[in-house]
Each structure stands twice: as structure tokens, then as C-alpha cells.
Amino acid sequence: MFIFTDKNNCVFERTSYRVPGEKNPKVRKVCIGKRNSDGSFTGNSYYIERCAKEKAEKRVSELEEMVKKYEVKLSGEEKKDKTETKLVVEAISSRKKSGFTYAIESIMDKMGITMTLEEVLGREKAQLVTSLMQFMIVTKSGAMDDFSFFDAEHTHCCNHDISSPTISRLFSSISEDIVTAFFKRLHTNAPKDMTRGEHYASFDSTAFSSYSNDIDIVAPSKGKQDPDLDHFSLAAIYDTRTNMCGYYRLYRGNIPDVKTVGDFVEVAKAMNLSFGGKIIFDRGYTSWENIFLVHKKLKSEIMIMLKSNLAIYSKAIEKAGTSFRTDSSLFIPQQGVFGTTVTESITLKVNEKDETIHAFIHVYYSPERYSSECSELEDSIDFEIERVKKLIAEKNVVEAELSSKMYITQNLRQYIKVRKISNRDVVIEKDCNAVAERLAKAGIFVILTTDNLSARDALLIYRGRDNVERLFNTVKNNLGFTRAEVKNDNTLQGKVFIVMLSAMVITYIKNRMREHRLELTRKMTYNKACLELESIYSHKLKGKTVFSEISDRQKLLLSSLGLNLPEQKLSVKVKKSYTKKKPKS
């Protein structure tokens, strides 16, 4: 393009261009304005219109570039919003209750249960056992058919549903040998010295009922719960060094308690178990053979409550005398009783050999217990006499049968005399001598120990033996295992194994809450603690588990249980846009 001015001061624009097929270029000349006398330029209408058009086109191109940049930015934001929306949908759809199951799994790691399960059963079966334990503890139910509902609402170790056939196969694979191997290794893996003070173990048993006729160890017995059903029994020992069940064993429901100690001693000796050197038994296990087995064969100190029908019981009371019942120096304020100690050498004949045990016998007198036993005995005798007299008045009792006391309750026959005054008449009255002899021992109980303890220390240790009873209470109340809902022996052993492990975890939670009752306040019961932990949710984000916000109360509870807080991440934030409404005119 070339611009020139002619002789008339007209300004032209000359542009060369080529026409396809022609040799020489052509020239186009256009007038665009006029040169003024002062040298300035004034454009004509063509030039002005062309300049305006070019300016407009340039502006349009700039706007188009801005629009393109905005569209790119807008598409990126839309893509980001779509990604965030997808994450939010993923988080909401995968939201489950996780706090309680996380606590259970962490406690199992802390107690050494998880490591021991993996060593004995393998990793896959250990995960199945852990999930079933989480199910039992959270739902407080042993109905395994409901596991699918638990899986839909809670996270657990396996992270998938477990079918009923899989559960049955798992139960069947857990034999008595596996249980024994587990507790033998747990005795090594579990953290020691979890209690303060002196260590000891307590032994006791309880009964469970069953509807099944295919379980060999179920037998008719007079169980306190469901007496019309057959029962099997479970004996367990609780070790205070680890605050856990040290071992348990199943046996028939009609075997007396006193005969279960022998099997326990043989197993404990074979497993080389040591329970702090002291084992405590209830009065139901009192026998000289049991004392010998535990003290001599297991080489443990024994503590046992004596039955009142033993000769050594009466002998110890005679040695203690009556003066200690009012001696303030022998009063134990923590228990509200008077106590004194006498020594005795007990000679036992075992395998035609005399074995001597040096025992310390602690005699206790409780004024409160004396009052209740006296009033209870007097009321029972008076009620029984009135009942039998009523039978005579109604002429429902033959005099000869009555004289043999067959209509008098057995445990009261020794305190009631039936005196015949004629062929037809008898007198029923209280035997004052027998009653006085019984009341002389009222309020008294006797504990035998093979360890040299004071009366105060022996009683405090013995009354701390309720931890094994708490274990049974947890099994029946917190886990709902009052009846064996299994069909045969193969699945019974496996289910009881998982129930007992679950009870050990719950016992740990209760013990920790008891230790931190001042921080947690008394209003924080076990059930409320379960609800607090269960209200901690989690969701899945990019394949990772993300926990929701944890309240201060929940943090305090987890800290009291000795657990670390679960890893927390910020949840996805949803952006919201708002349009400001115009005020109404």
C-alpha cells in the first residue's frame, strides 16, 4: 500500500494486486481525503467509515479473545465443581458409623489379641473373628443372621458382608486345641502389670442353657436361668496381671463345680501358666483334694472360702474365740467386719501318702450379717411351723409321716422338733438348742489361705475376686449370650471363643472407665459411652477412610480408654452462590 498527494492536494491510497492468470500486476487507486494548507489531513467519508469499521472489528476480535478465555476458565470451574460434587456424593453414600468399631480394633491391638489371633488362625480368619467381635459388641446380639444389617451401617475389619455359611465354617474350624494355643500365646503377648497392687487370679463357673439336642456337653441340671432346659457350663479364670480372662473351659452342666478344678490344674500345668502365684476359689470348690492340687501340683498359693460343714471350720472358730468380735483393734473399717487369723497344719492322704499343708485360717465376724442371718432364720422357722400346723388342721398329713419330718423343708428339719403327745396328736416346735448352736456361728465366715497374709489383706483380696463374675455378667448382659444359639458341638466352641474375646474387650472398657470416673463423671455409663463412640462417622474419599469431626466429649472418652484419635481430614466443602434480591419498591 502506497499513499501520495496529487497537484490538487487530494490524498490517494494506491494498492497493487495480482489477478490469477495475468502476467503484470494491477493497481487500485482510492481517494481517502485532502491535504490542508497547514499540512494537516482531512479524511473523506470513505476513509472515516473504513477507519470506524476497522476499529470495530479490532474491538470485536478483542472481545472474542476475552470470551474464549472466560469460556476456558468457566469450563475449568465447571469441571472442578463436577469433581467436588462427585466427591460429596461419594462421601455421603459411603458414610458409616466407625467410632465404636475403631475403638474395639484399637483395644484388641493394645491387649495383644489381634497379634495372637493372626499367629494362631492366620490373617484372613483373624479378620473374620475381629469383625464378628465388633458385631457382637456393638449390636449386643449373638444372632449372626443379622450381620448384613451391621455391615450396611458400620465399618468393620473385613469391610464386606459375611455370610452365614462362612460364619459356620469359621466356628467349626475353632477347636479346643486352638483355644488352648491361643491363650498360651496370649499369656506371652499380652501386656503385663495392668493392675495396681498384688496380682492374683480368680476361678469361677457359670451355666448356659440350650434348646439343641445335638450338643454332647448339654445335660439336665438345675440351672438358675431357664431351669426347664438342659445346660452346659463354662469355667474361667481371670488374671489381674493382664486384666483379662486367662483361660476358660466348657464342660457338662451336670458336673459339680468341685470336680472341675482337677481338669483346670492339668491344663494350666501343661500350658505352664502362672497367674501371679495366687488363685482364689469360691466356697463351691472347697475340697481338700482341690487345695492339694492347686497348692502342690500347680505350685500356687490358694485362697478359698470354707464351707460351714467342715470340721476345720468349727475348729477355727473355737480357736478364734468370741473376744475378737468386739476388739476394736481387729476391726476392718473398709469391710465393716472384725477379723483374726489362726494357723493350722492340715494333713492330707494322697496316693496313700500323707501330705502336710501349713494353712492360715482367717475368721471374720460381721455384725450386720449376724443381724440379717438371725432374723432370716427365725422368720423361716416360724413360717415353716405355721405351714405344717395348717396341714395338720386341714387333716392332709398322716401322723406317722409327719413324725418322720418328710413334710418339713429339708434345710429346716434340724431346727424343728416333732413331738408326739398321743396316738393322734403331735406338737411341732422350734428346737432351741439347735437354733442356738446355729446362731452362735451367725455372722461368721472363714477364709483359708496358704500364703501368710493378715486378716485384713486376705479379705480385701478375696472380695476383689468379683472380676471373674463381672466377666460372666458381661457375657450374659452386654453380649446377650444367655443361651447357646448353635446346633452342634462343632460350632459351639467357636461361638463361645468369640463371645469370651468380646467380653474381654468390654471388660477393658469398663475397667478404664472405672479408673477415669472423675474425668468422665458418673453419668457416663458403659451404654452411654457406646452411644458416644458409635456417633463418630467416617466416609470414603479417593479410596481412603476419612473421619468426621470428633467432639471434645468423644476425645475425652477415647483418651480415657488409652486410644489415639483416628486420623482426621477436612471434609469436602460445597460452594453455594447467592443472588441478592432487589428491594421491593
Side-chain angles (χ1 to χ4, degrees):
M1 186 177 65
F2 178 71
I3 298 174
F4 66 93
T5 306
D6 65 0
K7 59 181 180 179
N8 295 324
N9 291 330
C10 292
V11 180
F12 287 87
E13 184 181 76
R14 187 174 63 186
T15 307
S16 299
Y17 66 95
R18 284 186 176 275
V19 178
E22 295 186 3
K23 184 177 179 181
N24 299 318
K26 292 187 176 183
V27 177
R28 182 170 54 196
K29 187 174 66 172
V30 180
C31 181
I32 59 173
K34 189 177 181 179
R35 182 77 61 182
N36 299 324
S37 58
D38 57 355
S40 62
F41 171 76
T42 303
N44 57 13
S45 60
Y46 167 77
Y47 179 78
I48 293 172
E49 289 177 3
R50 193 184 71 174
C51 289
K53 185 178 179 181
E54 289 177 352
K55 189 176 181 180
E57 288 177 352
K58 184 179 180 182
R59 180 61 180 165
V60 168
S61 64
E62 290 176 355
L63 292 175
E64 286 178 350
E65 288 294 328
M66 292 176 64
V67 168
K68 286 181 181 179
K69 291 181 180 179
Y70 181 75
E71 285 178 350
V72 171
K73 185 178 180 181
L74 187 62
S75 62
E77 290 181 355
E78 287 179 353
K79 187 176 180 181
K80 185 178 178 181
D81 289 342
K82 287 180 180 178
T83 304
E84 289 183 350
T85 304
K86 185 179 179 182
L87 290 174
V88 170
V89 172
E90 180 187 357
I92 293 174
S93 61
S94 63
R95 186 171 182 264
K96 289 185 177 181
K97 299 176 180 179
S98 303
F100 201 6
T101 53
Y102 163 79
I104 294 168
E105 198 166 347
S106 300
I107 291 171
M108 290 176 63
D109 292 339
K110 196 176 183 68
M111 299 173 72
I113 295 177
T114 302
M115 180 172 63
T116 309
L117 282 174
E118 291 179 355
E119 291 176 358
V120 176
L121 298 176
R123 185 173 181 80
E124 184 178 353
K125 284 187 178 180
Q127 289 180 342
L128 290 174
V129 170
T130 302
S131 290
L132 293 179
M133 288 174 60
Q134 291 170 327
F135 165 72
M136 283 187 174
I137 296 172
V138 172
T139 61
K140 303 174 185 177
S141 170
M144 296 301 173
D145 295 338
D146 298 334
F147 189 87
S148 57
F149 300 105
F150 169 78
D151 174 64
E153 294 183 354
H154 299 79
T155 59
H156 53 92
C157 187
C158 289
N159 289 322
H160 61 77
D161 189 16
I162 305 175
S163 63
S164 294
T166 303
I167 296 174
S168 297
R169 286 195 297 271
L170 175 66
F171 285 171
S172 300
S173 66
I174 299 175
S175 62
E176 187 174 347
D177 293 337
I178 289 178
V179 174
T180 303
F182 172 84
F183 279 100
K184 188 173 183 179
R185 294 200 181 189
L186 182 65
H187 192 74
T188 304
N189 295 337
K192 304 297 188 296
D193 297 335
M194 294 181 67
T195 56
R196 300 169 187 171
E198 201 165 6
H199 299 139
Y200 60 90
S202 50
F203 183 89
D204 205 351
S205 64
T206 188
F208 300 94
S209 59
S210 175
Y211 284 112
S212 177
N213 296 321
D214 298 328
I215 301 178
D216 294 337
I217 64 171
V218 171
S221 63
K222 298 178 181 179
K224 297 178 182 178
Q225 191 170 354
D226 300 328
D228 297 331
L229 296 179
D230 294 346
H231 292 78
F232 70 93
S233 294
L234 182 147
I237 188 162
Y238 191 95
D239 187 5
T240 60
R241 286 192 305 168
T242 59
N243 259 336
M244 287 191 290
C245 174
Y247 183 71
Y248 76 85
R249 188 179 182 88
L250 301 179
Y251 58 93
R252 291 175 63 86
N254 57 0
I255 297 178
D257 291 345
V258 72
K259 293 184 178 181
T260 63
V261 178
D263 291 336
F264 158 72
V265 170
E266 294 299 327
V267 172
K269 189 176 179 182
M271 293 171 62
N272 195 24
L273 297 181
S274 174
F275 300 106
K278 292 184 180 65
I279 301 181
I280 307 175
F281 293 92
D282 198 1
R283 70 174 77 235
Y285 303 92
T286 304
S287 75
W288 298 125
E289 182 182 1
N290 289 343
I291 294 174
F292 170 78
L293 287 173
V294 176
H295 185 57
K296 292 292 186 179
K297 281 197 171 183
L298 200 57
K299 299 187 183 304
S300 293
E301 302 295 345
I302 189 171
M303 178 179 291
I304 194 166
M305 178 82 73
L306 295 181
K307 292 181 179 179
S308 59
N309 58 357
L310 295 176
I312 195 171
Y313 181 93
S314 301
K315 190 175 180 180
I317 294 177
E318 290 178 4
K319 275 191 173 183
T322 58
S323 59
F324 83 96
R325 304 185 188 186
T326 56
D327 189 349
S328 59
S329 63
L330 299 177
F331 185 69
I332 306 172
Q334 297 95 326
Q335 306 297 333
V337 299
F338 296 86
T340 187
T341 303
V342 298
T343 58
E344 188 73 33
S345 292
I346 304 170
T347 303
L348 308 176
K349 191 162 231 178
V350 181
N351 297 329
E352 297 183 354
K353 292 182 180 180
D354 291 338
E355 296 283 351
T356 303
I357 294 177
H358 191 67
F360 299 86
I361 303 176
H362 312 280
V363 184
Y364 302 94
Y365 171 73
S366 170
E368 183 179 353
R369 187 170 177 175
Y370 174 81
S371 300
S372 62
E373 287 184 10
C374 289
S375 59
E376 184 178 348
L377 181 63
E378 294 285 354
D379 293 342
S380 299
I381 294 173
D382 293 341
F383 177 81
E384 188 68 12
I385 291 174
E386 292 297 325
R387 186 184 68 82
V388 176
K389 284 182 177 179
K390 189 175 181 181
L391 285 176
I392 295 175
E394 293 174 354
K395 298 181 180 179
N396 291 329
V397 177
V398 179
E399 294 172 1
E401 293 175 344
L402 183 62
S403 61
S404 65
K405 297 187 177 182
M406 66 177 300
Y407 285 101
I408 301 175
T409 305
Q410 186 173 1
N411 61 343
L412 294 175
R413 288 177 186 174
Q414 57 181 321
Y415 306 117
I416 297 176
K417 291 193 300 185
V418 179
R419 188 161 47 86
K420 198 170 184 180
I421 58 176
S422 66
N423 291 335
R424 294 185 177 182
D425 298 327
V426 293
V427 173
I428 302 173
E429 58 187 5
K430 179 168 59 176
D431 189 341
C432 296
N433 293 331
V435 172
E437 185 179 349
R438 170 64 185 86
L439 294 181
K441 298 179 181 179
I444 293 177
F445 56 95
V446 179
I447 296 176
L448 180 146
T449 65
T450 55
D451 193 13
N452 187 5
L453 297 172
S454 65
R456 174 186 174 279
D457 293 340
L459 184 59
L460 291 178
I461 292 175
Y462 185 85
R463 289 197 170 174
R465 65 171 294 280
D466 61 346
N467 39 35
V468 67
E469 295 176 357
R470 289 178 183 173
L471 183 71
F472 294 146
N473 181 66
T474 298
V475 168
K476 294 185 177 181
N477 295 331
N478 296 114
L479 293 173
F481 189 74
T482 56
R483 189 176 296 116
E485 297 175 353
V486 293
K487 293 182 179 180
N488 50 51
D489 292 287
N490 294 333
T491 53
L492 175 64
Q493 186 67 258
K495 186 167 186 179
V496 173
F497 177 68
I498 293 177
V499 167
M500 292 301 291
L501 294 187
S502 302
M504 289 159 63
V505 173
I506 296 176
T507 303
Y508 173 90
I509 296 175
K510 289 183 175 180
N511 288 339
R512 295 286 298 192
M513 290 181 64
R514 197 176 297 113
E515 292 174 7
H516 296 82
R517 59 183 177 273
L518 295 178
E519 300 101 81
L520 295 174
T521 71
R522 293 184 179 180
K523 293 182 180 179
M524 178 65 76
T525 61
Y526 170 75
N527 290 330
K528 288 185 178 180
C530 294
L531 294 175
E532 281 287 344
L533 293 174
E534 203 171 355
S535 61
I536 300 176
Y537 287 83
S538 72
H539 50 267
K540 292 284 186 181
L541 274 181
K542 299 180 181 180
K544 294 183 179 180
T545 301
V546 181
F547 282 83
S548 60
E549 184 180 357
I550 300 177
S551 66
D552 293 338
R553 189 182 182 91
Q554 292 164 347
K555 290 179 181 177
L556 175 62
L557 182 56
L558 289 172
S559 175
S560 299
L561 296 178
L563 306 179
N564 297 323
L565 294 177
E567 184 180 355
Q568 288 181 266
K569 294 182 180 179
L570 294 176
S571 57
V572 179
K573 294 183 180 179
V574 182
K575 294 182 179 180
K576 296 182 180 180
S577 58
Y578 299 92
T579 304
K580 190 175 181 180
K581 294 183 179 180
K582 295 182 179 179
K584 295 181 180 179
S585 57

